[in-house]
Amino acid sequence: MRIRALPTALAGAALLLGGGAVLAQIEGGSRGAAPVDSGSAYEVSGVIVDVAGPSADAARYGGWRLAQRKAWVQLSNRLGGGGALVSDGTLDSLVSGIVVENEQIGPQRYVAKLGVLFDRNRAGSLLGISTYADRSQPMLVIPVQWSGGVGQVFEQRTEWQQAWARYRTGNSSIDYVRPSGSGPDALLLNVGQTQRPGRGWWRKIIDQYGASDILVPVVTLYRQWPGGPVIGVFEARHGPDSALIGRFTLRVGTPDGLPQLMDTGVKRIDDLYQQARRNGTLRVDYSLSPPPAPDPIATETVSVDETADANTAVLTGGTGLSITVQFDTPAAAAVTSTEAALRAIPGVRSAATTSLALGGVSLMRVAYDGDPAALKAALEARGYQVFGSGQTIRIRRTAQLLPPDLPADNATTG
């Protein structure tokens, strides 16, 4: 799996409050955690070792060696290789990492619970199996955490998002796209967005992240008393309609066990998603795919006068003249409303946003059958201010002014 991220970041927005300027930044280092890339490795976790040695370093080195051997036997049995051992030198070339889940180091003893990562291609070739992984289409993960009645995704760094970031997905059949929480993630992916079923805006979001569908794992935390047990209610949801795949409850005795609670919840939810994919419950919502292109309409061939202007020849074609329109997008609703206003103008074949900048100026490409001056006049008639000319224009809504007050001497009394 590749870890995908937005190629662009939004800058801060200046808000004028009470005559003073306040700069609001949306980027910061405490909003999320970068996910680990584990798509190219087989993982064997929970390997327990207890090794003694002449020194602490020697005992630890011996423990890691023993963990490699135990993990290889488990992986070989799991993949149908028979569980035969190989030399330590071969294992060194196959192991791509050691994950320390828990360890206790003494002067001459090493006790630990470890995870071992094996290179997928090398291990597969040695075992004589195909390394092809039947995985789902890319799924955008939006981890929602509710605690104290407040829902969060990337507004602040949460234990739930960090658990998804450190979860290794190499053994999963779901191709997760896990945002890191940087840049515009906090604006685009929030609790409110997960509750909006509208497909139009969802298409734009998942296209930015290179995904095909949405997965929304939700956890609701209940604390019995300060320092007491913590109960987590986990839900695996899917799609813009928030379809429920499964639900379960976990509990830890103290807040110190919260990371373990979250890690267990992520593993259980991943199992639910994989099971739903196998039985056909988890399927890609094709309403999130771009609408198909309209069928071409047959038109009569019209001879064009050789002395006609070149622009006239372009306007009589089947695709229309391409015009770039710059427009303000203070919110997501401004995108759909402006596109709808442009499409309502006679002669406009299509109007689609090609560059989105929430809180700034976005770009729209308009295919228009006619003179650009006629499009400018039509926009002005609909209440827009139009700047520029030709095939690049800038539009802005005209401010609606109240009518002037009548003079006092012309006022009438009832």
Side-chain angles (χ1 to χ4, degrees):
M1 187 197 75
R2 293 190 314 166
I3 304 301
R4 302 171 177 87
L6 276 178
T8 58
L10 302 179
L15 305 177
L16 296 180
L17 300 175
V22 179
L23 187 63
Q25 294 285 345
I26 66 169
E27 56 179 312
S30 61
R31 271 202 175 83
V36 296
D37 184 3
S38 57
S40 60
Y42 290 120
E43 180 183 11
V44 179
S45 59
V47 180
I48 299 176
V49 295
D50 186 350
V51 178
S55 65
D57 290 339
R60 191 183 196 195
Y61 180 75
W64 286 18
R65 282 287 194 189
L66 180 59
Q68 291 182 180
R69 298 173 196 146
K70 288 185 174 182
W72 174 255
V73 172
Q74 294 183 33
L75 179 66
S76 179
N77 288 325
R78 190 173 73 193
L79 299 179
L85 277 174
V86 296
S87 65
D88 288 337
T90 303
L91 286 176
D92 289 340
S93 65
L94 298 176
V95 174
S96 60
I98 300 290
V99 179
V100 178
E101 300 177 8
N102 186 16
E103 66 178 1
Q104 299 177 15
I105 305 176
Q108 295 180 332
R109 190 179 178 187
Y110 180 74
V111 180
K113 184 178 181 181
L114 305 173
V116 184
L117 304 179
F118 294 93
D119 184 89
R120 182 179 293 269
N121 294 327
R122 294 178 181 176
S125 62
L126 185 61
L127 293 172
I129 62 173
S130 173
T131 57
Y132 169 76
D134 181 20
R135 312 196 78 180
S136 70
Q137 291 181 293
M139 300 282 188
L140 178 62
V141 180
I142 307 177
V144 178
Q145 173 179 310
W146 288 91
S147 180
V150 178
Q152 292 183 342
V153 181
F154 295 113
E155 292 82 0
Q156 290 182 355
R157 181 176 295 177
T158 64
E159 290 286 349
W160 188 225
Q161 191 270 335
Q162 292 182 76
W164 276 97
R166 62 176 172 262
Y167 181 62
R168 299 188 178 276
T169 61
N171 296 331
S172 176
S173 62
I174 308 297
D175 186 3
Y176 294 108
V177 181
R178 297 174 290 176
S180 63
S182 61
D185 292 347
L187 293 179
L188 297 177
L189 308 176
N190 49 51
V191 177
Q193 179 59 36
T194 63
Q195 300 172 353
R196 299 187 182 103
R199 265 55 173 178
W201 187 239
W202 270 120
R203 290 192 195 105
K204 298 181 184 298
I205 291 179
I206 63 176
D207 182 65
Q208 292 290 326
Y209 289 88
S212 300
D213 210 333
I214 310 107
L215 297 177
V216 184
V218 182
V219 60
T220 304
L221 298 178
Y222 299 95
R223 292 174 170 83
Q224 302 300 289
W225 59 81
V230 180
I231 299 175
V233 179
F234 297 84
E235 295 178 343
R237 295 187 175 272
H238 163 239
D241 296 328
S242 193
L244 180 63
I245 301 295
R247 178 189 288 116
F248 58 91
T249 302
L250 299 175
R251 179 182 181 274
V252 289
T254 63
D256 295 337
L258 189 58
Q260 180 182 2
L261 177 77
M262 296 300 190
D263 290 338
T264 306
V266 171
K267 180 63 173 64
R268 292 274 299 272
I269 282 187
D270 176 55
D271 293 340
L272 288 176
Y273 282 137
Q274 293 190 70
Q275 181 182 359
R277 180 174 179 265
R278 287 191 297 268
N279 60 30
T281 306
L282 180 61
R283 291 176 291 183
V284 172
D285 187 350
Y286 290 101
S287 66
L288 293 173
S289 302
D295 296 332
I297 301 175
T299 57
E300 298 181 1
T301 303
V302 181
S303 60
V304 181
D305 187 1
E306 295 181 357
T307 61
D309 185 73
N311 289 335
T312 305
V314 172
L315 294 177
T316 57
T319 58
L321 187 66
S322 179
I323 300 176
T324 301
V325 179
Q326 304 174 5
F327 64 103
D328 296 325
T329 49
V335 179
T336 55
S337 62
T338 307
E339 288 180 351
L342 266 294
R343 295 191 188 106
I345 297 177
V348 173
R349 287 180 173 270
S350 64
T353 301
T354 58
S355 178
L356 177 63
L358 290 178
V361 179
S362 300
L363 300 180
M364 182 190 306
R365 180 167 295 174
V366 178
Y368 181 65
D369 288 341
D371 189 357
L375 177 62
K376 180 178 179 180
L379 288 168
E380 291 175 343
R382 284 163 172 77
Y384 285 95
Q385 291 180 328
V386 184
F387 307 93
S389 60
Q391 294 182 234
T392 301
I393 59 176
R394 170 80 161 85
I395 64 174
R396 181 181 297 162
R397 273 291 184 185
T398 305
Q400 301 295 324
L401 301 178
L402 296 175
D405 296 334
L406 295 175
D409 54 355
N410 291 337
T412 59
T413 60

